[in-house]
Amino acid sequence: MSHVFLYALVGVGLFTLGLYALIVHPHLLRKILAINVMGSGVFLMLVALGRRTPGTLPDPVPHAMAITGIVVAISATALALALMLRVQVETGRAELPEEPLE
Amino acid sequence: MQQSQPLKKTINPKPMTEGVKKQLLFRLLLVALLSLLATGLGYAVLSLPSSAPGLSELVAENLETSGVSNPVTAVLLNFRAYDTLLELGVLLLALLGVWSFGAVPERRESFPGPVLDTLSRLLVPLLILVAGYLLWVGAHAPGGAFQAGSVLGAAGVLLLLAGWRPGARFVGLPLRITLVAGLGVFVIVSAVLILVGGRLLEYPPSFAATLILLIEAAATLSIGITLAALFIGGRPEAGPNN
């Protein structure tokens, strides 16, 4: 059962890595990709932790939640990409305006 | 960015080095905070009990009344069907959001090479077949409406990449009816179930298998077409002589 925690910890790592990229990169496409990496981390954790059942079959509820989550993530990504293209049309670049660090 | 930023840098180089220093400091602080977060999350994960049945026993006990024998499908379309209903709503809302930005953006299009052209013709019927199989097999093995829908969506994306565009006949009402079919059938089924006397999405066990297959078939079609429509990236115009 130690596999479960290895996968779950990889999920935590992906989530943190995605959060770092989300904060650091100004380009919107990178931010959208970063959010997707964070989401993948969460799904990996859900699926891994659903395997902690005593029997051979995993808990189906987290698996169903991951499927639901993937569909919502796809929808949100598509909408975000359309918004990004719109920002590019309006301002000429797909980045948030960079503000100087105070 | 290309006009204002370099100008600033050449006029006073001193604040720039300070800026770089600040940015480095910011990143170090960020890495430290995120390491703290990762440690906290990792600790939380590791402190979970290594054996937890969760809801699996409850699902296994009630699997017989659900109409399907695949526990994941049973959870998705029976025990927690409300989630799936709202999820189809989210998919439709995202498409409406994309369409609200206007028509399909103009792109430079190149003619697909012979390989892509031939391969898409060969693969699309196969993908439709696989989608049908996944839909059917979802009742008792891994598969189901979302898997089938995404295969169908992939077929649509392949066709779009190979240069196919929906004809004007399909862009109007037929496309819109297909897009709302999944959510529509779901809502109709739940409304009928309430009228018949049950509660929201509480299928009678004798009809459960039929109802689930009906909802899944409509949902598969809607999900596939919605994903392909999202890939177009705008509202397809129903031109009169298109």
Side-chain angles (χ1 to χ4, degrees):
Chain A
M1 281 295 145
S2 63
H3 282 72
V4 167
F5 288 106
L6 180 66
Y7 288 133
L9 287 179
V10 170
V12 170
L14 278 177
F15 181 85
T16 323
L17 214 61
L19 189 57
Y20 175 80
L22 175 68
I23 296 171
V24 161
H25 294 295
H27 198 282
L28 288 174
L29 184 59
R30 284 176 186 263
K31 283 191 191 290
I32 294 169
L33 288 175
I35 291 173
N36 272 289
V37 171
M38 287 171 72
S40 305
V42 174
F43 299 145
L44 184 58
M45 203 151 69
L46 267 177
V47 170
L49 292 180
R51 189 63 194 81
R52 293 176 301 143
T53 48
T56 49
L57 281 175
D59 186 357
V61 178
H63 287 223
M65 278 166 75
I67 292 183
T68 309
I70 288 169
V71 174
V72 173
I74 288 180
S75 315
T77 305
L79 188 58
L81 286 172
L83 276 168
M84 187 195 80
L85 287 176
R86 190 76 195 164
V87 167
Q88 175 134 38
V89 167
E90 293 290 325
T91 66
R93 59 203 181 92
E95 286 183 9
L96 292 180
E98 190 143 11
E99 285 169 29
L101 290 167
E102 289 300 323
Chain B
M1 171 197 158
Q2 277 153 346
Q3 287 158 356
S4 63
Q5 209 80 339
L7 204 67
K8 229 188 230 170
K9 280 176 187 171
T10 46
I11 287 176
N12 38 1
K14 212 171 183 184
M16 187 203 74
T17 51
E18 264 179 32
V20 167
K21 229 184 242 174
K22 266 185 185 164
Q23 200 164 17
L24 200 68
L25 202 68
F26 167 71
R27 290 214 176 182
L28 279 177
L29 188 68
L30 184 62
V31 168
L33 281 175
L34 286 179
S35 313
L36 209 65
L37 177 73
T39 317
L41 286 175
Y43 177 74
V45 164
L46 286 179
S47 63
L48 287 170
S50 64
S51 174
L55 293 170
S56 56
E57 283 165 5
L58 207 60
V59 171
E61 276 169 26
N62 293 298
L63 198 57
E64 277 179 27
T65 59
S66 73
V68 289
S69 59
N70 177 16
V72 177
T73 307
V75 170
L76 269 178
L77 281 138
N78 198 333
F79 304 141
R80 295 198 60 88
Y82 189 54
D83 286 359
T84 311
L85 173 67
L86 293 183
E87 180 186 353
L88 288 174
V90 168
L91 204 58
L92 195 62
L93 266 181
L95 185 69
L96 289 181
V98 170
W99 279 14
S100 70
F101 296 135
V104 179
E106 295 223 351
R107 295 199 198 98
R108 267 183 307 132
E109 289 188 16
S110 57
F111 192 75
V115 175
L116 181 60
D117 197 47
T118 317
L119 202 63
S120 67
R121 280 163 210 268
L122 284 173
L123 277 179
V124 166
L126 197 67
L127 284 173
I128 292 172
L129 200 67
V130 170
Y133 171 74
L134 278 173
L135 171 66
W136 181 254
V137 86
H140 55 86
F146 290 106
Q147 290 86 335
S150 39
V151 171
L152 212 56
V157 169
L158 193 63
L159 277 176
L160 289 169
L161 285 177
W164 175 82
R165 291 291 175 273
R169 270 188 305 145
F170 303 112
V171 161
L173 204 57
L175 177 66
R176 284 162 173 75
I177 288 176
T178 323
L179 288 172
V180 296
L183 190 62
V185 167
F186 222 141
V187 168
I188 288 169
V189 165
S190 46
V192 166
L193 285 174
I194 289 176
L195 287 178
V196 163
R199 276 176 285 173
L200 181 73
L201 292 169
E202 193 184 67
Y203 312 130
S206 49
F207 291 113
T210 323
L211 287 177
I212 287 178
L213 190 64
L214 178 73
I215 292 171
E216 278 201 308
T220 300
L221 201 62
S222 285
I223 292 166
I225 304 294
T226 308
L227 291 178
L230 283 171
F231 184 78
I232 295 181
R235 192 177 57 243
E237 288 294 316
N241 50 2
N242 199 341

PDB file of all heavy atoms in Angstrom, chain B residues 105-129:
ATOM      1  N   PRO B 105     -12.433  32.828 -35.103  1.00  0.00           N
ATOM      2  CA  PRO B 105     -11.348  33.734 -35.462  1.00  0.00           C
ATOM      3  C   PRO B 105     -10.706  33.330 -36.785  1.00  0.00           C
ATOM      4  O   PRO B 105     -10.634  32.148 -37.107  1.00  0.00           O
ATOM      5  CB  PRO B 105     -10.363  33.586 -34.303  1.00  0.00           C
ATOM      6  CG  PRO B 105     -10.673  32.281 -33.685  1.00  0.00           C
ATOM      7  CD  PRO B 105     -12.134  32.052 -33.885  1.00  0.00           C
ATOM      8  N   GLU B 106     -10.272  34.328 -37.527  1.00  0.00           N
ATOM      9  CA  GLU B 106      -9.653  34.026 -38.826  1.00  0.00           C
ATOM     10  C   GLU B 106      -8.270  33.451 -38.609  1.00  0.00           C
ATOM     11  O   GLU B 106      -7.487  33.949 -37.809  1.00  0.00           O
ATOM     12  CB  GLU B 106      -9.552  35.315 -39.645  1.00  0.00           C
ATOM     13  CG  GLU B 106     -10.907  35.863 -39.998  1.00  0.00           C
ATOM     14  CD  GLU B 106     -10.958  36.324 -41.431  1.00  0.00           C
ATOM     15  OE1 GLU B 106      -9.880  36.365 -42.060  1.00  0.00           O
ATOM     16  OE2 GLU B 106     -12.053  36.617 -41.913  1.00  0.00           O
ATOM     17  N   ARG B 107      -7.992  32.378 -39.320  1.00  0.00           N
ATOM     18  CA  ARG B 107      -6.673  31.774 -39.207  1.00  0.00           C
ATOM     19  C   ARG B 107      -6.141  31.519 -40.602  1.00  0.00           C
ATOM     20  O   ARG B 107      -6.895  31.373 -41.546  1.00  0.00           O
ATOM     21  CB  ARG B 107      -6.750  30.428 -38.480  1.00  0.00           C
ATOM     22  CG  ARG B 107      -7.172  30.529 -37.054  1.00  0.00           C
ATOM     23  CD  ARG B 107      -6.778  29.268 -36.327  1.00  0.00           C
ATOM     24  NE  ARG B 107      -7.534  29.147 -35.085  1.00  0.00           N
ATOM     25  CZ  ARG B 107      -8.613  28.403 -34.984  1.00  0.00           C
ATOM     26  NH1 ARG B 107      -9.036  27.697 -36.009  1.00  0.00           N
ATOM     27  NH2 ARG B 107      -9.269  28.339 -33.846  1.00  0.00           N
ATOM     28  N   ARG B 108      -4.837  31.468 -40.663  1.00  0.00           N
ATOM     29  CA  ARG B 108      -4.236  31.025 -41.911  1.00  0.00           C
ATOM     30  C   ARG B 108      -4.401  29.523 -41.968  1.00  0.00           C
ATOM     31  O   ARG B 108      -4.044  28.825 -41.014  1.00  0.00           O
ATOM     32  CB  ARG B 108      -2.751  31.390 -41.937  1.00  0.00           C
ATOM     33  CG  ARG B 108      -2.488  32.733 -42.607  1.00  0.00           C
ATOM     34  CD  ARG B 108      -1.019  32.992 -42.667  1.00  0.00           C
ATOM     35  NE  ARG B 108      -0.418  32.869 -41.348  1.00  0.00           N
ATOM     36  CZ  ARG B 108       0.683  32.179 -41.101  1.00  0.00           C
ATOM     37  NH1 ARG B 108       1.295  31.537 -42.055  1.00  0.00           N
ATOM     38  NH2 ARG B 108       1.184  32.140 -39.889  1.00  0.00           N
ATOM     39  N   GLU B 109      -4.940  29.027 -43.038  1.00  0.00           N
ATOM     40  CA  GLU B 109      -5.128  27.590 -43.121  1.00  0.00           C
ATOM     41  C   GLU B 109      -4.283  27.035 -44.237  1.00  0.00           C
ATOM     42  O   GLU B 109      -4.187  27.623 -45.316  1.00  0.00           O
ATOM     43  CB  GLU B 109      -6.594  27.263 -43.362  1.00  0.00           C
ATOM     44  CG  GLU B 109      -7.430  27.545 -42.132  1.00  0.00           C
ATOM     45  CD  GLU B 109      -8.851  27.053 -42.280  1.00  0.00           C
ATOM     46  OE1 GLU B 109      -9.092  26.243 -43.180  1.00  0.00           O
ATOM     47  OE2 GLU B 109      -9.688  27.505 -41.507  1.00  0.00           O
ATOM     48  N   SER B 110      -3.653  25.913 -43.938  1.00  0.00           N
ATOM     49  CA  SER B 110      -2.862  25.274 -44.983  1.00  0.00           C
ATOM     50  C   SER B 110      -3.552  23.986 -45.387  1.00  0.00           C
ATOM     51  O   SER B 110      -4.273  23.377 -44.596  1.00  0.00           O
ATOM     52  CB  SER B 110      -1.453  24.991 -44.478  1.00  0.00           C
ATOM     53  OG  SER B 110      -1.520  24.195 -43.329  1.00  0.00           O
ATOM     54  N   PHE B 111      -3.329  23.576 -46.589  1.00  0.00           N
ATOM     55  CA  PHE B 111      -3.956  22.356 -47.081  1.00  0.00           C
ATOM     56  C   PHE B 111      -3.334  21.160 -46.367  1.00  0.00           C
ATOM     57  O   PHE B 111      -2.113  21.094 -46.230  1.00  0.00           O
ATOM     58  CB  PHE B 111      -3.739  22.261 -48.589  1.00  0.00           C
ATOM     59  CG  PHE B 111      -4.586  21.205 -49.219  1.00  0.00           C
ATOM     60  CD1 PHE B 111      -5.951  21.426 -49.416  1.00  0.00           C
ATOM     61  CD2 PHE B 111      -4.046  19.998 -49.591  1.00  0.00           C
ATOM     62  CE1 PHE B 111      -6.742  20.446 -49.981  1.00  0.00           C
ATOM     63  CE2 PHE B 111      -4.833  19.021 -50.156  1.00  0.00           C
ATOM     64  CZ  PHE B 111      -6.185  19.235 -50.356  1.00  0.00           C
ATOM     65  N   PRO B 112      -4.157  20.229 -45.854  1.00  0.00           N
ATOM     66  CA  PRO B 112      -3.577  19.085 -45.144  1.00  0.00           C
ATOM     67  C   PRO B 112      -2.823  18.188 -46.108  1.00  0.00           C
ATOM     68  O   PRO B 112      -3.217  18.017 -47.263  1.00  0.00           O
ATOM     69  CB  PRO B 112      -4.809  18.375 -44.580  1.00  0.00           C
ATOM     70  CG  PRO B 112      -5.927  18.784 -45.450  1.00  0.00           C
ATOM     71  CD  PRO B 112      -5.613  20.179 -45.911  1.00  0.00           C
ATOM     72  N   GLY B 113      -1.749  17.627 -45.639  1.00  0.00           N
ATOM     73  CA  GLY B 113      -0.965  16.716 -46.466  1.00  0.00           C
ATOM     74  C   GLY B 113      -1.744  15.447 -46.758  1.00  0.00           C
ATOM     75  O   GLY B 113      -2.754  15.170 -46.111  1.00  0.00           O
ATOM     76  N   PRO B 114      -1.282  14.653 -47.716  1.00  0.00           N
ATOM     77  CA  PRO B 114      -2.020  13.431 -48.083  1.00  0.00           C
ATOM     78  C   PRO B 114      -2.110  12.436 -46.933  1.00  0.00           C
ATOM     79  O   PRO B 114      -3.097  11.709 -46.811  1.00  0.00           O
ATOM     80  CB  PRO B 114      -1.225  12.860 -49.257  1.00  0.00           C
ATOM     81  CG  PRO B 114       0.099  13.518 -49.206  1.00  0.00           C
ATOM     82  CD  PRO B 114      -0.117  14.857 -48.583  1.00  0.00           C
ATOM     83  N   VAL B 115      -1.073  12.429 -46.054  1.00  0.00           N
ATOM     84  CA  VAL B 115      -1.085  11.463 -44.952  1.00  0.00           C
ATOM     85  C   VAL B 115      -2.222  11.792 -43.983  1.00  0.00           C
ATOM     86  O   VAL B 115      -3.040  10.931 -43.632  1.00  0.00           O
ATOM     87  CB  VAL B 115       0.274  11.470 -44.216  1.00  0.00           C
ATOM     88  CG1 VAL B 115       0.217  10.558 -43.015  1.00  0.00           C
ATOM     89  CG2 VAL B 115       1.385  11.050 -45.150  1.00  0.00           C
ATOM     90  N   LEU B 116      -2.282  13.064 -43.571  1.00  0.00           N
ATOM     91  CA  LEU B 116      -3.321  13.479 -42.629  1.00  0.00           C
ATOM     92  C   LEU B 116      -4.702  13.272 -43.237  1.00  0.00           C
ATOM     93  O   LEU B 116      -5.630  12.791 -42.579  1.00  0.00           O
ATOM     94  CB  LEU B 116      -3.113  14.953 -42.257  1.00  0.00           C
ATOM     95  CG  LEU B 116      -4.106  15.525 -41.254  1.00  0.00           C
ATOM     96  CD1 LEU B 116      -4.056  14.778 -39.946  1.00  0.00           C
ATOM     97  CD2 LEU B 116      -3.835  16.999 -41.024  1.00  0.00           C
ATOM     98  N   ASP B 117      -4.813  13.616 -44.524  1.00  0.00           N
ATOM     99  CA  ASP B 117      -6.088  13.507 -45.211  1.00  0.00           C
ATOM    100  C   ASP B 117      -6.584  12.063 -45.226  1.00  0.00           C
ATOM    101  O   ASP B 117      -7.704  11.761 -44.822  1.00  0.00           O
ATOM    102  CB  ASP B 117      -5.908  14.042 -46.643  1.00  0.00           C
ATOM    103  CG  ASP B 117      -7.233  14.344 -47.279  1.00  0.00           C
ATOM    104  OD1 ASP B 117      -8.065  14.988 -46.609  1.00  0.00           O
ATOM    105  OD2 ASP B 117      -7.449  13.924 -48.425  1.00  0.00           O
ATOM    106  N   THR B 118      -5.700  11.146 -45.643  1.00  0.00           N
ATOM    107  CA  THR B 118      -6.091   9.739 -45.739  1.00  0.00           C
ATOM    108  C   THR B 118      -6.303   9.136 -44.362  1.00  0.00           C
ATOM    109  O   THR B 118      -7.273   8.415 -44.131  1.00  0.00           O
ATOM    110  CB  THR B 118      -4.992   8.939 -46.482  1.00  0.00           C
ATOM    111  OG1 THR B 118      -4.555   9.706 -47.593  1.00  0.00           O
ATOM    112  CG2 THR B 118      -5.508   7.611 -46.935  1.00  0.00           C
ATOM    113  N   LEU B 119      -5.382   9.474 -43.451  1.00  0.00           N
ATOM    114  CA  LEU B 119      -5.443   8.884 -42.119  1.00  0.00           C
ATOM    115  C   LEU B 119      -6.732   9.297 -41.411  1.00  0.00           C
ATOM    116  O   LEU B 119      -7.372   8.486 -40.735  1.00  0.00           O
ATOM    117  CB  LEU B 119      -4.226   9.341 -41.314  1.00  0.00           C
ATOM    118  CG  LEU B 119      -3.851   8.437 -40.141  1.00  0.00           C
ATOM    119  CD1 LEU B 119      -3.471   7.063 -40.669  1.00  0.00           C
ATOM    120  CD2 LEU B 119      -2.711   9.033 -39.365  1.00  0.00           C
ATOM    121  N   SER B 120      -7.125  10.578 -41.580  1.00  0.00           N
ATOM    122  CA  SER B 120      -8.337  11.016 -40.892  1.00  0.00           C
ATOM    123  C   SER B 120      -9.554  10.293 -41.452  1.00  0.00           C
ATOM    124  O   SER B 120     -10.458   9.918 -40.721  1.00  0.00           O
ATOM    125  CB  SER B 120      -8.495  12.527 -41.018  1.00  0.00           C
ATOM    126  OG  SER B 120      -8.751  12.867 -42.350  1.00  0.00           O
ATOM    127  N   ARG B 121      -9.542  10.043 -42.766  1.00  0.00           N
ATOM    128  CA  ARG B 121     -10.668   9.292 -43.344  1.00  0.00           C
ATOM    129  C   ARG B 121     -10.728   7.878 -42.805  1.00  0.00           C
ATOM    130  O   ARG B 121     -11.803   7.315 -42.623  1.00  0.00           O
ATOM    131  CB  ARG B 121     -10.528   9.233 -44.866  1.00  0.00           C
ATOM    132  CG  ARG B 121     -10.981  10.490 -45.547  1.00  0.00           C
ATOM    133  CD  ARG B 121     -10.445  10.533 -46.963  1.00  0.00           C
ATOM    134  NE  ARG B 121     -10.227  11.892 -47.393  1.00  0.00           N
ATOM    135  CZ  ARG B 121     -11.148  12.600 -48.037  1.00  0.00           C
ATOM    136  NH1 ARG B 121     -12.302  12.063 -48.304  1.00  0.00           N
ATOM    137  NH2 ARG B 121     -10.912  13.839 -48.386  1.00  0.00           N
ATOM    138  N   LEU B 122      -9.546   7.278 -42.562  1.00  0.00           N
ATOM    139  CA  LEU B 122      -9.520   5.912 -42.046  1.00  0.00           C
ATOM    140  C   LEU B 122      -9.855   5.865 -40.562  1.00  0.00           C
ATOM    141  O   LEU B 122     -10.517   4.948 -40.095  1.00  0.00           O
ATOM    142  CB  LEU B 122      -8.124   5.307 -42.253  1.00  0.00           C
ATOM    143  CG  LEU B 122      -7.766   4.871 -43.665  1.00  0.00           C
ATOM    144  CD1 LEU B 122      -6.315   4.453 -43.719  1.00  0.00           C
ATOM    145  CD2 LEU B 122      -8.661   3.719 -44.089  1.00  0.00           C
ATOM    146  N   LEU B 123      -9.362   6.875 -39.830  1.00  0.00           N
ATOM    147  CA  LEU B 123      -9.459   6.805 -38.372  1.00  0.00           C
ATOM    148  C   LEU B 123     -10.820   7.219 -37.832  1.00  0.00           C
ATOM    149  O   LEU B 123     -11.271   6.690 -36.827  1.00  0.00           O
ATOM    150  CB  LEU B 123      -8.380   7.686 -37.732  1.00  0.00           C
ATOM    151  CG  LEU B 123      -7.009   7.060 -37.589  1.00  0.00           C
ATOM    152  CD1 LEU B 123      -6.041   8.048 -36.975  1.00  0.00           C
ATOM    153  CD2 LEU B 123      -7.073   5.816 -36.735  1.00  0.00           C
ATOM    154  N   VAL B 124     -11.475   8.168 -38.504  1.00  0.00           N
ATOM    155  CA  VAL B 124     -12.719   8.696 -37.929  1.00  0.00           C
ATOM    156  C   VAL B 124     -13.804   7.623 -37.776  1.00  0.00           C
ATOM    157  O   VAL B 124     -14.402   7.520 -36.698  1.00  0.00           O
ATOM    158  CB  VAL B 124     -13.190   9.926 -38.728  1.00  0.00           C
ATOM    159  CG1 VAL B 124     -14.619  10.284 -38.383  1.00  0.00           C
ATOM    160  CG2 VAL B 124     -12.281  11.094 -38.432  1.00  0.00           C
ATOM    161  N   PRO B 125     -14.047   6.770 -38.797  1.00  0.00           N
ATOM    162  CA  PRO B 125     -15.040   5.712 -38.573  1.00  0.00           C
ATOM    163  C   PRO B 125     -14.638   4.780 -37.434  1.00  0.00           C
ATOM    164  O   PRO B 125     -15.479   4.371 -36.629  1.00  0.00           O
ATOM    165  CB  PRO B 125     -15.060   4.959 -39.909  1.00  0.00           C
ATOM    166  CG  PRO B 125     -14.481   5.877 -40.891  1.00  0.00           C
ATOM    167  CD  PRO B 125     -13.525   6.743 -40.164  1.00  0.00           C
ATOM    168  N   LEU B 126     -13.336   4.502 -37.345  1.00  0.00           N
ATOM    169  CA  LEU B 126     -12.839   3.632 -36.278  1.00  0.00           C
ATOM    170  C   LEU B 126     -13.084   4.281 -34.910  1.00  0.00           C
ATOM    171  O   LEU B 126     -13.515   3.619 -33.953  1.00  0.00           O
ATOM    172  CB  LEU B 126     -11.341   3.400 -36.493  1.00  0.00           C
ATOM    173  CG  LEU B 126     -10.736   2.225 -35.747  1.00  0.00           C
ATOM    174  CD1 LEU B 126     -11.287   0.937 -36.299  1.00  0.00           C
ATOM    175  CD2 LEU B 126      -9.230   2.242 -35.867  1.00  0.00           C
ATOM    176  N   LEU B 127     -12.830   5.592 -34.819  1.00  0.00           N
ATOM    177  CA  LEU B 127     -13.019   6.303 -33.549  1.00  0.00           C
ATOM    178  C   LEU B 127     -14.497   6.306 -33.161  1.00  0.00           C
ATOM    179  O   LEU B 127     -14.829   6.172 -31.978  1.00  0.00           O
ATOM    180  CB  LEU B 127     -12.497   7.738 -33.660  1.00  0.00           C
ATOM    181  CG  LEU B 127     -10.981   7.894 -33.623  1.00  0.00           C
ATOM    182  CD1 LEU B 127     -10.582   9.320 -33.917  1.00  0.00           C
ATOM    183  CD2 LEU B 127     -10.439   7.490 -32.268  1.00  0.00           C
ATOM    184  N   ILE B 128     -15.378   6.455 -34.151  1.00  0.00           N
ATOM    185  CA  ILE B 128     -16.811   6.432 -33.843  1.00  0.00           C
ATOM    186  C   ILE B 128     -17.205   5.055 -33.307  1.00  0.00           C
ATOM    187  O   ILE B 128     -17.960   4.931 -32.336  1.00  0.00           O
ATOM    188  CB  ILE B 128     -17.630   6.806 -35.095  1.00  0.00           C
ATOM    189  CG1 ILE B 128     -17.379   8.277 -35.448  1.00  0.00           C
ATOM    190  CG2 ILE B 128     -19.113   6.576 -34.872  1.00  0.00           C
ATOM    191  CD1 ILE B 128     -17.981   8.713 -36.750  1.00  0.00           C
ATOM    192  N   LEU B 129     -16.632   4.010 -33.923  1.00  0.00           N
ATOM    193  CA  LEU B 129     -16.893   2.646 -33.472  1.00  0.00           C
ATOM    194  C   LEU B 129     -16.390   2.451 -32.037  1.00  0.00           C
ATOM    195  O   LEU B 129     -17.089   1.885 -31.186  1.00  0.00           O
ATOM    196  CB  LEU B 129     -16.186   1.674 -34.420  1.00  0.00           C
ATOM    197  CG  LEU B 129     -16.688   0.240 -34.418  1.00  0.00           C
ATOM    198  CD1 LEU B 129     -18.093   0.182 -34.970  1.00  0.00           C
ATOM    199  CD2 LEU B 129     -15.766  -0.639 -35.244  1.00  0.00           C
TER     200      LEU B 129
END
